[in-house]
Amino acid sequence: MKESRSFLAVSVAIVLAGTLVGSILSGDARTAIVAAGLVVLVTQFPLHFLLRGWRERNDRFLASIVVGFFVRVAVLAVAVVVFVVPDRVAAAPFLLALGGFMVGILIAEATFESRRLRTRAAKTAEASAS
């Protein structure tokens, strides 16, 4: 499976697992967890693919990390203003789920990126050796 599809599948699995675990909670908490999952998926997928080209180049790698960090912080701030402040969802479950999903997806993204870079380095070393 391509790395992009693997990342998408793992990200959706993380959110589904968190949503299933959260399904034992009350209706308000369950709604908050689903909303947090949707916010994370809707923002992480485009961000992953938009910054992927920057991560390919050494001179832009650090910029991709910085931009990704600030966009994620902005998403957290906007999500709080849109969902928590007007009391559309329960604050504690929403913020815990939002943070948990985001960290889980970031770990998955870093794992896939690390594997991709190791594979590329091995192919480069193999090509230069022959």
Side-chain angles (χ1 to χ4, degrees):
M1 188 183 296
K2 291 180 93 175
E3 292 161 5
S4 302
R5 291 183 190 150
S6 297
F7 171 72
L8 294 175
V10 168
S11 299
V12 170
I14 289 170
V15 171
L16 285 177
T19 304
L20 287 175
V21 168
S23 68
I24 62 173
L25 300 173
S26 70
D28 290 341
R30 198 174 22 240
T31 303
I33 291 171
V34 170
L38 290 174
V39 166
V40 168
L41 290 178
V42 166
T43 57
Q44 293 299 316
F45 288 164
L47 189 60
H48 171 75
F49 290 110
L50 289 172
L51 293 178
R52 185 179 179 116
W54 279 18
R55 287 191 306 262
E56 298 282 331
R57 296 179 48 185
N58 289 336
D59 60 330
R60 291 190 180 171
F61 184 77
L62 185 59
S64 73
I65 292 172
V66 172
V67 168
F69 173 78
F70 283 113
V71 168
R72 287 173 178 101
V73 168
V75 165
L76 288 172
V78 168
V80 167
V81 169
V82 170
F83 289 103
V84 175
V85 171
D87 221 17
R88 291 186 176 131
V89 295
F94 179 78
L95 294 174
L96 286 172
L98 189 66
F101 292 149
M102 195 168 286
V103 167
I105 290 174
L106 284 172
I107 290 170
E109 184 177 29
T111 302
F112 285 114
E113 188 66 21
S114 162
R115 184 184 319 159
R116 186 182 64 78
L117 291 174
R118 278 194 314 251
T119 303
R120 182 195 292 167
K123 286 180 182 178
T124 303
E126 184 179 297
S128 65
S130 39

